[in-house]
């Protein structure tokens, strides 16, 4: 966009927004909500760069969600196995579910995570050690990218 006084508004997906007004540059745009005009998750240059869903929860005892977006609940399947349930059904199951887990009291590096059973309504995740034993973790998080129509 270029105005009569030669000021410019430029949008770059790699460096953000900035407004060039001659010798003055504004580098911050604040907004409470950005929405796609036709509904759904907004995109940047046709790329789906915003997480479709994410969750952070305590996985010990009864799982308790600390914070989330588009996650309605967590199901405790068994030791260190959880099902993440979406608040809004995905249009397809072609998304990437990335899981991470840890124990704030023990910085052990022998833990691994995996996601499985990916559907339009949920996915499952597991934490285990190198010996294959499952361990509940007090810090559990997941991010979902994609799955949009």
């Amino acid at each position: 966009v270029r105005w009569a006084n030669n000021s410019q508004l430029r949008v770059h997906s790699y460096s953000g927004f900035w407004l060039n007004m001659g010798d003055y540059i504004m580098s911050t745009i604040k907004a409470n909500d950005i929405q796609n005009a036709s509904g759904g998750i907004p995109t940047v240059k046709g790329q789906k760069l915003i997480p479709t869903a994410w969750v952070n929860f305590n996985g010990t005892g009864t799982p308790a969600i600390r914070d989330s977006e588009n996650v309605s609940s967590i199901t405790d399947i068994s030791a260190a196995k959880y099902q993440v349930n979406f608040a809004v059904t995905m249009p397809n199951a072609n998304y990437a579910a990335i899981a991470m887990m840890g124990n704030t009291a023990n910085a052990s590096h022998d833990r691994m995570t995996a996601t499985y059973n990916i559907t339009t309504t949920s996915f499952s995740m597991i934490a285990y050690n190198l010996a294959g034993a499952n361990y509940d973790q007090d810090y559990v998080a997941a991010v979902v990218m994609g799955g949009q129509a």
Side-chain angles (χ1 to χ4, degrees):
V1 176
R2 187 179 296 268
W3 287 276
N5 66 357
N6 212 25
S7 298
Q8 302 172 45
L9 172 65
R10 294 188 183 185
V11 179
H12 296 281
S13 62
Y14 56 88
S15 65
F17 302 93
W18 58 275
L19 176 61
N20 181 346
M21 297 184 67
D23 294 333
Y24 305 98
I25 296 178
M26 182 186 81
S27 61
T28 303
I29 293 178
K30 295 182 179 182
N32 291 331
D33 196 8
I34 298 176
Q35 295 180 346
N36 185 324
S38 62
I41 307 249
T43 59
V44 178
K45 288 190 174 183
Q47 299 174 359
K48 296 166 174 100
L49 301 175
I50 298 172
T52 313
W54 61 269
V55 64
N56 174 331
F57 65 96
N58 184 338
T60 60
T62 301
I65 295 175
R66 292 184 185 100
D67 203 354
S68 68
E69 181 66 37
N70 195 28
V71 172
S72 61
S73 63
I74 302 295
T75 303
D76 190 359
I77 299 170
S78 64
K81 288 184 177 182
Y82 313 98
Q83 179 176 302
V84 177
N85 304 297
F86 297 126
V88 177
T89 300
M90 299 285 194
N92 62 60
N94 299 329
Y95 57 84
I98 303 107
M100 55 217 90
M101 300 184 200
N103 188 324
T104 57
N106 179 1
S108 177
H109 300 290
D110 69 342
R111 303 294 197 286
M112 297 175 283
T113 61
T115 58
Y116 63 98
N117 196 25
I118 294 175
T119 71
T120 59
T121 58
S122 67
F123 68 92
S124 297
M125 53 197 291
I126 184 173
Y128 53 96
N129 67 9
L130 296 176
N134 297 357
Y135 285 95
D136 280 339
Q137 303 293 307
D138 61 4
Y139 177 84
V140 185
V143 176
V144 174
M145 301 295 290
Q148 303 164 18

